[in-house]
Amino acid sequence: MKVFQHERQLRTTGGLSVRDITEEVTEAVRESGVIDGIACVYSPHTTCCVRVNEFESGFLEDFTELLRRLVPIQTYYALYDGEKRTENICPEDMDFGNGHSHCMAMLLGTAGESIPVRDGELCLGTWQRVMFLELDRERDRRWIVQVVGT
Amino acid sequence: MKVFQHERQLRTTGGLSVRDITEEVTEAVRESGVIDGIACVYSPHTTCCVRVNEFESGFLEDFTELLRRLVPIQTYYALYDGEKRTENICPEDMDFGNGHSHCMAMLLGTAGESIPVRDGELCLGTWQRVMFLELDRERDRRWIVQVVGT
Amino acid sequence: MKVFQHERQLRTTGGLSVRDITEEVTEAVRESGVIDGIACVYSPHTTCCVRVNEFESGFLEDFTELLRRLVPIQTYYALYDGEKRTENICPEDMDFGNGHSHCMAMLLGTAGESIPVRDGELCLGTWQRVMFLELDRERDRRWIVQVVGT
């Protein structure tokens, strides 16, 4: 049995920005030597996530609009009420406010995606790409891929 | 250590249709010979997903209504603006339009579900069923289950 | 290769309540003896889920408000239409009604989260915590962690 981990850093652009990381994940799976198994691609950030879907600019524009409609930025977030907040304070976040980013991340689901690996390749469908989603402002980020198998 | 993969094909009905695939996934886990491990059930399509919840017609009706309210079909999707789109063109999709299906899939979360396996069985709760969700029109689809364990 | 399972029970409080289970999951990973692998933390309930995000009271208040706005409690749910429903009947649920809880669970995504394990520790980011979300009334619940690796 093999377990292989690869970590990669990136600088995101702000807004709702999406990076196609399929090639890098594919490379990591090849480097792992795992022929059959599972690849768990994971974001260790609370306002980012890894998702598998189509990487197409029109769709990403549509999705951004949907997410902004469901989770408005210009609303009151208790997370950034300076009067109330006493926990986990990060000064930079208090200035910019990212209550909506946390809510978007929770609504979107899990931090990562698990993808089957067969014959040494990710079992992605024709249009599927692995994407890193930034839901917050421009920041230094990283993602992890853990490959487990034989 | 064992890694077992099973793939199954299906023809979905259109609209938001849900297929209960619990029995087939359970069979695959038995066939895998894995006693303790993880089963990753995965949809390789960008407008479908695998989800674990109750398979009950009233609930699925409620959920369909919710999803259609949050992600309306009759709205403008940049993904299907023929003037703008230049990437990943699938002629059939340009006729029918499935911008809303992509948005629904992203909102729902990951492509698959990972379920613990114990004593050779999926650790599903009393009401939990494994379901394949079609968010697009009637199509030929497939799902994959990857079982990893001892 | 090692596969380790741990199960824990809890009594939730009603409403949308969130329990930080990070310490218990961390302990289970240590007990597993797995140094490198994947931890799959799973809810076997249809109206709960396990999610990784920040455990901060303001954010959880914001998220509760968002979820209640998107999935109102005071609406008609076919799941609890006594005239129509004939499947999977649980008498207590027919009294209280938890159609909205099922819809929230589906909207939130999968039942569990998969987290990479490295050097015997969960690869959680600075602000990430593992949380058990109750979307229904006060109930007896349980969660499972399955650790697979070397």
Side-chain angles (χ1 to χ4, degrees):
Chain A
M1 187 212 179
K2 287 172 188 136
V3 179
F4 176 89
Q5 190 177 79
H6 178 81
E7 186 172 317
R8 196 65 78 99
Q9 300 191 334
L10 71 162
R11 177 82 185 170
T12 61
T13 53
L16 199 148
S17 74
V18 180
R19 178 82 67 96
D20 184 339
I21 59 170
T22 313
E23 291 312 319
E24 292 160 279
V25 177
T26 299
E27 259 175 54
V29 170
R30 283 179 193 153
E31 202 187 334
S32 76
V34 168
I35 303 303
D36 292 297
I38 293 172
C40 172
V41 195
Y42 185 82
S43 149
H45 306 285
T46 50
T47 52
C48 294
C49 64
V50 170
R51 204 87 325 153
V52 170
N53 209 300
E54 189 167 350
F55 186 77
E56 199 279 331
S57 54
F59 159 52
L60 297 174
E61 199 181 295
D62 294 334
F63 187 68
T64 301
E65 200 188 303
L66 168 68
L67 215 48
R68 287 198 177 134
R69 180 165 53 78
L70 299 181
V71 189
I73 299 182
Q74 299 83 353
T75 196
Y76 166 82
Y77 286 99
L79 179 56
Y80 291 100
D81 185 334
E83 304 276 320
K84 289 178 71 177
R85 189 163 184 186
T86 55
E87 309 156 54
N88 298 359
I89 292 177
C90 165
E92 209 180 359
D93 284 350
M94 294 306 282
D95 292 344
F96 291 95
N98 65 355
H100 65 283
S101 313
H102 279 88
C103 285
M104 285 174 176
M106 277 288 268
L107 192 62
L108 274 172
T110 55
E113 287 252 7
S114 292
I115 307 163
V117 173
R118 177 173 51 189
D119 299 332
E121 302 286 342
L122 292 166
C123 293
L124 294 174
T126 313
W127 307 108
Q128 283 184 327
R129 305 293 289 175
V130 189
M131 303 184 286
F132 185 91
L133 278 71
E134 173 62 82
L135 304 164
D136 205 339
R137 64 181 192 282
E138 183 184 348
R139 294 180 88 157
D140 288 314
R141 302 294 199 176
R142 59 196 175 93
W143 53 266
I144 296 163
V145 55
Q146 192 85 341
V147 195
V148 172
T150 47
Chain B
M1 189 213 179
K2 287 172 187 139
V3 179
F4 177 89
Q5 189 178 80
H6 178 82
E7 186 172 318
R8 196 64 79 97
Q9 299 192 335
L10 72 162
R11 177 81 184 170
T12 61
T13 54
L16 199 148
S17 75
V18 180
R19 179 83 66 96
D20 185 339
I21 60 171
T22 314
E23 290 312 319
E24 292 160 279
V25 178
T26 300
E27 259 174 54
V29 170
R30 284 181 194 152
E31 201 186 334
S32 75
V34 168
I35 303 302
D36 292 298
I38 294 172
C40 172
V41 194
Y42 185 82
S43 150
H45 306 286
T46 51
T47 52
C48 294
C49 63
V50 170
R51 205 86 326 155
V52 170
N53 210 299
E54 188 167 352
F55 187 76
E56 199 279 332
S57 54
F59 160 52
L60 297 173
E61 198 180 296
D62 293 334
F63 187 69
T64 301
E65 200 187 303
L66 168 67
L67 215 48
R68 287 197 177 135
R69 181 165 52 78
L70 299 181
V71 190
I73 299 182
Q74 299 84 352
T75 196
Y76 166 82
Y77 286 99
L79 179 57
Y80 291 99
D81 185 334
E83 304 276 320
K84 291 177 71 178
R85 186 163 186 187
T86 54
E87 310 155 53
N88 298 358
I89 292 177
C90 164
E92 210 181 0
D93 284 349
M94 295 306 283
D95 293 344
F96 290 95
N98 64 354
H100 65 284
S101 314
H102 279 87
C103 285
M104 285 173 176
M106 277 288 268
L107 192 62
L108 274 172
T110 55
E113 287 252 9
S114 292
I115 307 163
V117 173
R118 177 173 49 188
D119 299 332
E121 302 286 340
L122 292 165
C123 294
L124 294 174
T126 314
W127 307 107
Q128 283 186 325
R129 306 293 290 176
V130 189
M131 303 185 285
F132 185 92
L133 277 71
E134 173 62 82
L135 304 165
D136 205 339
R137 62 182 193 280
E138 183 185 348
R139 295 179 89 156
D140 289 315
R141 301 294 198 175
R142 60 196 174 91
W143 52 266
I144 296 163
V145 55
Q146 193 85 341
V147 194
V148 172
T150 47
Chain C
M1 188 212 179
K2 287 172 186 137
V3 179
F4 175 89
Q5 190 177 80
H6 178 81
E7 186 173 317
R8 196 64 79 97
Q9 299 191 334
L10 71 162
R11 177 82 185 170
T12 61
T13 53
L16 200 150
S17 73
V18 180
R19 178 82 66 97
D20 185 338
I21 59 171
T22 313
E23 291 311 318
E24 292 161 279
V25 177
T26 299
E27 259 175 54
V29 170
R30 284 180 192 154
E31 202 187 335
S32 76
V34 168
I35 303 302
D36 292 298
I38 293 172
C40 173
V41 195
Y42 185 82
S43 150
H45 307 286
T46 51
T47 51
C48 294
C49 64
V50 170
R51 203 86 327 153
V52 170
N53 209 299
E54 188 167 351
F55 187 77
E56 198 280 330
S57 55
F59 160 51
L60 297 173
E61 198 181 296
D62 293 333
F63 187 68
T64 301
E65 200 187 302
L66 168 68
L67 215 48
R68 286 199 178 134
R69 180 165 53 78
L70 299 181
V71 190
I73 299 181
Q74 300 83 352
T75 195
Y76 166 83
Y77 286 99
L79 179 57
Y80 291 98
D81 184 335
E83 303 277 319
K84 290 177 72 177
R85 187 164 185 184
T86 55
E87 311 156 53
N88 299 358
I89 291 178
C90 164
E92 209 181 359
D93 284 348
M94 295 307 280
D95 292 344
F96 290 94
N98 64 354
H100 64 284
S101 314
H102 279 87
C103 285
M104 285 174 177
M106 277 289 266
L107 192 62
L108 274 173
T110 55
E113 287 252 8
S114 292
I115 307 163
V117 173
R118 177 173 50 187
D119 299 331
E121 302 286 342
L122 292 165
C123 294
L124 294 173
T126 314
W127 307 108
Q128 284 185 326
R129 306 292 291 175
V130 189
M131 303 184 285
F132 185 92
L133 277 70
E134 173 63 82
L135 303 165
D136 205 339
R137 63 181 191 282
E138 183 185 347
R139 295 180 88 157
D140 289 315
R141 301 295 199 176
R142 59 197 174 92
W143 54 266
I144 296 164
V145 55
Q146 193 84 342
V147 194
V148 172
T150 48

